[in-house]
């Protein structure tokens, strides 16, 4: 190696100013605590992962729905300014398909996930876990997806089979 | 008449002036009146008084105040709805930041960049959090690309053609230069475990929007964007940081990003089941339809505009874009699709970005139907509306990308029709 070349390399190594392609810093901070905290474990999966302790039935849910949900979603979940939640099961192949929670959603766990993170819109996360189980029970019982007296909890909610469970086809190609 | 030897500058000027007049025409020279102090009043006001001073953040001219986003929101939940980019009022390909479309489920959050961080965890070797200041020190990439809501143009499915201005039907799409950190750097840093196939992205807004994204896309060209056309993201477009997934449905470009949790299965959130799925005629629904389809429309002349001169030459101008790659060709028709001419594509033509096209059109005053049809580098051709409906049915709601038709009446009025 020539004197010039070795001198140049020495300069680069010792200098704080180094030219290189894609010099990537590693600045992420250790975050095990955050990762394990409830604040970052909000997602609820179809197998029930993420569901909290608690329980509720349709009778309790009906009262909560009337107080907190009906003003937008309509009484019994229809006819309001917000999405229709109930009815129209089996309508998807008809000339006028209606996509409601009960007719279209494939998983009941999604309902718990969505209510907890975003409903009611003016006060997300204001409902208790028991209230959310109760609301799920109320809505699902409206179309006999579950029995009217079933007490929903984290064990049986993932087992609820929605009418449209098999209604989706992934079209994603890598 | 050859000029004689120049003896002085004044002689030169007077000789050449007369000479050129004599050469070009045979009329007598018109001598301009010199400006007198009476003439000041005839000058425009802008020249007679000092203009307004400097400004810290520029705004468009008051005369352009009609060029705005239109908003459309649920009356009970003001932050649930959209605002539309006025595509019909704009030129070029870059959407000004103040006119970038919005789609929110529960309003625009106020997030302090000093305390915000992005957590990447789940099936990783080590969960890590990244502050905004730290993210800015990673190599940043610039990417010009469009973002389009999966529900853009959904009025096109209706039986009757909607009579709203072009941007207010098709303007849930905008095109910007996004600058951010390629996600592959951060995913490499946390260490991806072998079983990880998806990441659940979550936003810090009042909808806590969550959605599953295939890890392949995040390792490919996904960015955590921090800048939008040179400046920090606007609050309504994701401040302080958002995902940008070039070519993919708007819903996956999660704004106000707070977490990416790597998993082996999708979470089946509301926004990948109840919404942003397309119901087919057979009763099944397409899911994970991430790629936005190839599309174009003529932005000018378009519905609501008037062709004032008959006959007259009009510049037919519009935009084409594809979630699959580059636009290779845009054809324009003035007879409802019977004959087509290839339009000029204004370069540079970029991958998964708005491409401006134009073609001059001589209108002789006849009834006409203007259409544009885009082709992309994969060979895909933008379909006619009736073909789209034959293939997809009427109830898909999302991913409407059919050819758009503007009828021009003999009076020069323009309406939306189905070609």
């Amino acid at each position: 190696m020539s004197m010039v070349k070795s001198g140049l390399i020495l300069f680069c190594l010792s200098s704080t100013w180094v030219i290189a392609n894609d010099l990537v810093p590693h600045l992420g901070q250790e975050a095990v605590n955050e990762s394990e905290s409830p604040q970052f474990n909000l997602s609820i999966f179809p197998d029930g992962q993420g569901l909290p302790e608690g329980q509720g039935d349709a009778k309790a849910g009906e009262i909560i729905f009337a107080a907190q949900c009906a003003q937008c979603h309509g009484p019994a979940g229809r006819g309001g300014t917000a999405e229709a939640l109930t009815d129209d099961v089996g309508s998807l192949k008809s000339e006028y398909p209606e996509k409601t929670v009960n007719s279209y959603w494939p998983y009941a766990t999604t309902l718990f996930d969505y209510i907890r993170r975003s409903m009611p819109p003016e006060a997300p996360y204001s409902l208790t876990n028991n209230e959310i189980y109760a609301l799920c029970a109320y809505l699902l019982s409206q179309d006999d997806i579950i029995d009217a007296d079933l007490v929903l909890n984290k064990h049986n909610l993932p087992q609820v089979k929605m009418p449209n469970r098999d209604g989706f086809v992934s079209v994603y190609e890598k | 008449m050859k000029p004689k030897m120049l003896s002085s500058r004044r002689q030169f000027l007077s000789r050449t002036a007369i000479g050129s007049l004599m050469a070009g025409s045979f009329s007598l020279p018109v001598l301009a009146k010199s400006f007198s102090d009476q003439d000041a009043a005839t000058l425009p006001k802008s020249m007679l008084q000092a203009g307004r001073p400097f400004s810290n953040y520029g705004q468009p001219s008051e005369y352009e105040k009609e060029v705005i986003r239109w908003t459309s929101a649920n009356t009970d939940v003001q932050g649930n709805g959209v605002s539309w980019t006025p595509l019909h009022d704009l030129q070029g390909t870059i959407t000004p930041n103040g006119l970038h479309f919005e789609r929110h489920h529960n309003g625009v959050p106020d997030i302090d960049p000093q305390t915000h961080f992005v957590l990447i965890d789940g099936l990783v070797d080590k969960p890590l959090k990244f502050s905004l200041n730290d993210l800015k020190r990673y190599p940043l990439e610039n990417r010009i690309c469009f973002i389009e809501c999966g529900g853009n143009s959904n009025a096109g499915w209706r039986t009757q053609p909607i009579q709203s201005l072009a941007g207010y039907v098709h303007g849930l799409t905008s095109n910007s230069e996004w600058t951010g950190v390629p996600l592959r750097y951060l995913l490499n840093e946390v260490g991806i475990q072998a079983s990880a196939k998806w990441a659940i992205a979550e936003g810090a807004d009042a909808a806590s929007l969550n959605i599953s994204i295939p890890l392949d896309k995040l390792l490919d060209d996904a960015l955590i964007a921090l800048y939008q056309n040179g400046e920090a993201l606007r609050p309504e477009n994701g401040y302080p940081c958002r995902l940008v997934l070039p070519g993919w449905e708007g819903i996956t470009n999660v704004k106000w990003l707070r977490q990416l949790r790597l998993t082996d299965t999708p979470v089946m959130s509301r926004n990948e089941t109840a919404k942003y799925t397309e119901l087919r005629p057979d009763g099944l629904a397409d899911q994970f339809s991430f790629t936005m389809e190839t599309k174009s429309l003529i932005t000018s002349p378009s519905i609501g505009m008037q062709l004032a001169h008959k006959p007259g030459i009009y510049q037919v101008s519009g935009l084409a874009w594809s979630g699959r790659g580059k636009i290779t060709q845009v054809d324009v028709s003035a007879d409802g699709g019977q004959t087509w001419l290839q339009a000029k594509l204004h370069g540079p033509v970029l991958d998964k970005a708005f491409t401006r096209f134009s073609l001059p059109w001589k209108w002789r005053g006849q009834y006409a139907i203007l259409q544009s049809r885009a082709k992309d580098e994969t060979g895909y051709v933008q379909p006619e509306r009736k073909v789209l409906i034959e293939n997809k049915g009427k109830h898909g709601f999302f991913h409407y990308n059919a050819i758009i038709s503007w009828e021009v009446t003999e009076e020069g009025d323009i309406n939306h029709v189905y070609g």
Side-chain angles (χ1 to χ4, degrees):
Chain A
M1 200 188 301
S2 75
M3 287 293 286
V4 174
K5 232 195 240 181
S6 56
L8 187 63
I9 289 169
L10 206 59
F11 171 77
C12 286
L13 288 173
S14 61
S15 162
T16 50
W17 180 53
V18 182
I19 305 167
N21 285 333
D22 269 9
L23 209 59
V24 185
H26 285 199
L27 299 169
Q29 291 174 58
E30 174 273 311
V32 172
N33 288 343
E34 287 86 350
S35 180
E36 291 174 355
S37 73
Q39 292 88 334
F40 283 98
N41 283 278
L42 297 170
S43 275
I44 292 165
F45 288 77
D47 66 359
Q49 192 199 133
L51 278 173
E53 297 300 330
Q55 59 181 47
D57 65 9
K59 196 149 154 261
E62 186 172 6
I63 299 165
I64 301 159
F65 192 88
Q68 302 251 28
C69 321
Q71 65 266 39
C72 291
H73 286 284
R78 295 205 57 88
T81 54
E83 307 285 341
L85 304 175
T86 54
D87 210 351
D88 294 309
V89 176
S91 70
L92 299 179
K93 271 192 254 201
S94 74
E95 203 184 334
Y96 301 104
E98 290 292 336
K99 295 186 280 186
T100 67
V101 172
N102 290 346
S103 74
Y104 192 64
W105 293 31
Y107 298 99
T109 45
T110 309
L111 186 58
F112 194 107
D113 180 275
Y114 190 67
I115 293 174
R116 180 167 74 174
R117 66 179 56 247
S118 64
M119 293 290 146
E122 70 274 11
Y125 302 101
S126 62
L127 294 165
T128 66
N129 293 329
N130 289 348
E131 287 173 331
I132 303 172
Y133 280 116
L135 284 168
C136 289
Y138 171 66
L139 290 171
L140 295 170
S141 67
Q142 290 302 296
D143 289 292
D144 300 316
I145 296 170
I146 61 167
D147 288 340
D149 54 7
L150 180 64
V151 179
L152 279 180
N153 57 45
K154 71 179 195 181
H155 303 290
N156 57 21
L157 183 63
Q159 287 160 16
V160 172
K161 185 141 189 236
M162 300 297 281
N164 201 39
R165 165 73 72 88
D166 300 320
F168 292 84
V169 179
S170 170
V171 296
Y172 170 59
E173 282 157 21
K174 191 176 129 165
Chain B
M1 170 174 149
K2 269 164 74 161
K4 294 207 173 110
M5 271 294 287
L6 303 174
S7 49
S8 77
R9 183 174 151 81
R10 201 192 301 201
Q11 278 186 318
F12 169 72
L13 286 170
S14 59
R15 280 173 209 268
T16 51
I18 290 166
S20 58
L21 279 167
M22 298 277 279
S25 72
F26 293 90
S27 57
L28 291 170
V30 177
L31 297 170
K33 274 172 55 179
S34 66
F35 189 85
S36 82
D37 50 12
Q38 252 75 316
D39 293 319
T42 63
L43 286 171
K45 239 172 56 166
S46 60
M47 297 171 75
L48 301 173
Q49 62 198 33
R52 64 161 171 78
F54 300 96
S55 49
N56 291 115
Y57 199 93
Q59 297 300 318
S61 165
E62 271 298 299
Y63 296 106
E64 298 298 313
K65 62 177 188 278
E66 306 277 291
V67 180
I68 51 171
R69 300 187 285 226
W70 274 16
T71 65
S72 175
N74 187 307
T75 43
D76 294 314
V77 183
Q78 302 268 300
N80 185 307
V82 297
S83 76
W84 312 85
T85 296
L87 297 174
H88 48 277
D89 281 325
L90 303 177
Q91 279 289 351
T93 59
I94 296 290
T95 308
N97 284 349
L99 295 174
H100 195 292
F101 87 95
E102 301 172 88
R103 168 78 179 111
H104 313 314
H105 294 88
N106 201 358
V108 180
D110 179 352
I111 297 174
D112 182 351
Q114 292 305 316
T115 51
H116 187 78
F117 58 84
V118 178
L119 172 68
I120 305 183
D121 68 348
L123 294 174
V124 299
D125 293 337
K126 47 185 196 298
L128 296 174
K129 61 183 178 185
F130 300 85
S131 74
L132 273 311
N133 285 338
D134 291 342
L135 286 173
K136 290 176 186 176
R137 284 179 49 200
Y138 283 79
L140 298 178
E141 200 171 279
N142 298 316
R143 183 67 194 262
I144 296 177
C145 62
F146 71 87
I147 294 181
E148 183 175 13
C149 176
N152 193 24
S153 313
N154 68 70
W157 299 106
R158 297 183 197 179
T159 337
Q160 296 302 321
I162 191 170
Q163 300 303 321
S164 297
L165 299 178
Y168 303 142
V169 181
H170 308 287
L172 294 190
T173 181
S174 308
N175 193 62
S176 297
E177 182 195 53
W178 305 100
T179 303
V181 184
L183 259 162
R184 60 183 183 276
Y185 293 136
L186 308 175
L187 291 169
N188 186 58
E189 191 175 330
V190 296
I192 303 169
Q193 290 180 358
S195 53
K197 299 275 177 286
W198 295 82
I200 316 303
E202 188 173 271
D205 63 327
S208 302
L209 191 137
N210 65 340
I211 194 159
S212 311
I213 298 168
L215 208 48
D216 291 326
K217 182 63 171 176
L218 296 178
L219 289 167
D220 182 17
D221 58 357
L223 300 177
I224 294 190
L226 305 165
Y227 299 91
Q228 175 184 359
N229 295 328
E231 61 176 3
L233 299 179
R234 290 297 174 93
E236 64 268 24
N237 299 123
Y239 186 87
C241 59
R242 72 172 300 161
L243 282 179
V244 171
L245 274 45
W248 279 29
E249 289 174 321
I251 189 72
T252 61
N253 291 255
V254 175
K255 301 192 289 284
W256 316 298
L257 185 71
R258 77 189 288 254
Q259 183 182 19
L260 286 166
R261 164 153 298 179
L262 275 64
T263 62
D264 56 354
T265 56
V267 73
M268 296 299 180
S269 73
R270 179 254 194 186
N271 288 315
E272 66 209 46
T273 57
K275 300 288 171 182
Y276 307 101
T277 55
E278 295 77 57
L279 190 59
R280 303 177 339 197
D282 64 3
L284 296 175
D286 286 346
Q287 187 183 31
F288 303 131
S289 49
F290 297 120
T291 304
M292 291 309 295
E293 301 292 354
T294 302
K295 194 161 165 182
S296 72
L297 81 156
I298 294 168
T299 52
S300 173
S302 62
I303 177 180
M305 297 180 194
Q306 237 257 338
L307 303 187
H309 294 123
K310 167 173 153 169
I313 296 172
Y314 294 90
Q315 305 299 323
V316 175
S317 174
L319 293 168
W321 62 97
S322 172
R324 299 154 184 267
K326 290 186 187 178
I327 294 292
T328 48
Q329 189 173 326
V330 178
D331 302 316
V332 171
S333 172
D335 56 15
Q338 289 171 69
T339 58
W340 296 90
L341 277 179
Q342 203 167 326
K344 167 182 164 172
L345 298 184
H346 295 239
V349 175
L350 300 174
D351 180 86
K352 304 183 182 85
F354 279 4
T355 299
R356 174 65 63 178
F357 67 85
S358 67
L359 189 65
W361 174 50
K362 185 161 189 175
W363 180 52
R364 290 178 192 79
Q366 78 283 18
Y367 179 83
I369 297 182
L370 293 171
Q371 297 180 333
S372 66
R373 177 182 65 191
K375 294 182 188 168
D376 71 26
E377 61 178 288
T378 70
Y380 179 96
V381 181
Q382 182 179 11
E384 290 174 46
R385 183 175 181 275
K386 62 176 188 280
V387 173
L388 179 70
I389 288 174
E390 258 163 48
N391 291 338
K392 302 281 185 177
K394 292 182 294 180
H395 302 293
F397 191 79
F398 302 98
H399 289 277
Y400 185 92
N401 72 318
I403 288 170
I404 293 152
S405 311
W406 309 125
E407 93 176 342
V408 180
T409 68
E410 288 173 8
E411 290 75 41
D413 297 317
I414 304 179
N415 306 303
H416 179 213
V417 295
Y418 288 148

